[in-house]
Amino acid sequence: MALLILLQPIFEADFDEGSFGYRPGRKAHQALDAIREQLRHGRTEVVDADLSGYFDTIDHAGLLRLVAGRVSDGSILRLVKLFLKAPIVEEKKGKRSYHKNDRGTPQGGVLSPLLANLYLNSLDHGVNDRPELDAKLIRYPFSAAFFSAAFTLRLTQSATGRQSRRASRARRIRSRSSPCGSI
């Protein structure tokens, strides 16, 4: 918990305003308000991405580079690395087995949500900081929604690079009315 208290303000300063998951002072209702705002602005083309398996696939080396970009203290970097490399413990029929952890963030780990947000931050900014896209990415814990008036999946992938390809089971929904039902 101490590591989270130390690191959270450092990375919160850089996080995109369209990111709502696992962030202090950010709630699901605010994400819904942001979605409504995009729909009111005529951004009714939606690319919905399911990120439910995302935490298990984060590349440790890439994530550690991102942390090192803002944190220079070697002892802190070492603690983050130890956190990421903690072995996976499974219990079956009263026997414990330990497995090497070479990717992902530990499930239920206090730092996992912060580190996952850090890893996705470049995706958030890759869409939201490019006015020529006329698009907005709204992200909540296990999903992301891209909103645009005229948007294609191909454009999204070129704008966000490698990380957009990691989003699993992306699907395109086209609608003239709210694709989110009665929100």
Side-chain angles (χ1 to χ4, degrees), residues 60 84-90 97-103:
H60 286 176
L84 290 173
K85 299 290 184 184
I88 299 166
V89 181
E90 292 185 80
S97 61
Y98 298 87
H99 306 280
K100 185 178 176 182
N101 183 7
D102 58 358
R103 63 186 165 107

Side-chain angles (χ1 to χ4, degrees), residues 1-8 83 109-111:
M1 186 64 148
L3 200 51
L4 177 66
I5 292 168
L6 177 72
L7 293 176
Q8 193 161 38
F83 171 81
V110 70
L111 276 184

Side-chain angles (χ1 to χ4, degrees), residues 81-129:
K81 184 176 182 176
L82 287 171
F83 171 81
L84 290 173
K85 299 290 184 184
I88 299 166
V89 181
E90 292 185 80
E91 251 189 78
K92 290 183 183 176
K93 299 180 182 178
K95 290 190 178 186
R96 283 189 186 171
S97 61
Y98 298 87
H99 306 280
K100 185 178 176 182
N101 183 7
D102 58 358
R103 63 186 165 107
T105 58
Q107 186 176 9
V110 70
L111 276 184
S112 292
L114 176 69
L115 295 175
N117 277 329
L118 174 61
Y119 203 71
L120 281 175
N121 194 43
S122 61
L123 172 65
D124 298 338
H125 285 290
V127 173
N128 294 336
D129 293 351

Side-chain angles (χ1 to χ4, degrees), residues 4-166:
L4 177 66
I5 292 168
L6 177 72
L7 293 176
Q8 193 161 38
I10 294 168
F11 295 115
E12 275 295 323
D14 297 332
F15 288 158
D16 188 84
E17 68 181 34
S19 169
F20 291 90
Y22 301 115
R23 293 188 55 203
R26 298 221 160 210
K27 310 275 186 248
H29 291 290
Q30 292 171 310
L32 291 173
D33 290 343
I35 289 169
R36 284 187 199 99
E37 184 68 20
Q38 296 311 307
L39 295 171
R40 276 193 285 275
H41 280 83
R43 293 184 175 125
T44 57
E45 294 276 335
V46 179
V47 176
D48 181 37
D50 174 46
L51 304 174
S52 58
Y54 167 70
F55 288 96
D56 300 332
T57 63
I58 295 173
D59 173 60
H60 286 176
L63 180 56
L64 288 168
R65 277 192 297 276
L66 291 172
V67 173
R70 294 282 281 145
V71 176
S72 59
D73 186 320
S75 60
I76 299 297
L77 294 171
R78 185 174 182 277
L79 284 173
V80 172
K81 184 176 182 176
L82 287 171
F83 171 81
L84 290 173
K85 299 290 184 184
I88 299 166
V89 181
E90 292 185 80
E91 251 189 78
K92 290 183 183 176
K93 299 180 182 178
K95 290 190 178 186
R96 283 189 186 171
S97 61
Y98 298 87
H99 306 280
K100 185 178 176 182
N101 183 7
D102 58 358
R103 63 186 165 107
T105 58
Q107 186 176 9
V110 70
L111 276 184
S112 292
L114 176 69
L115 295 175
N117 277 329
L118 174 61
Y119 203 71
L120 281 175
N121 194 43
S122 61
L123 172 65
D124 298 338
H125 285 290
V127 173
N128 294 336
D129 293 351
R130 293 190 55 188
E132 71 272 16
L133 294 178
D134 189 29
K136 182 71 176 173
L137 172 64
I138 308 294
R139 195 168 49 76
Y140 201 69
F142 300 111
S143 64
F146 300 85
F147 292 85
S148 179
F151 200 57
T152 65
L153 184 56
R154 186 179 55 76
L155 182 60
T156 302
Q157 289 175 335
S158 69
T160 58
R162 203 170 101 188
Q163 289 185 342
S164 72
R165 291 187 294 272
R166 289 192 179 133

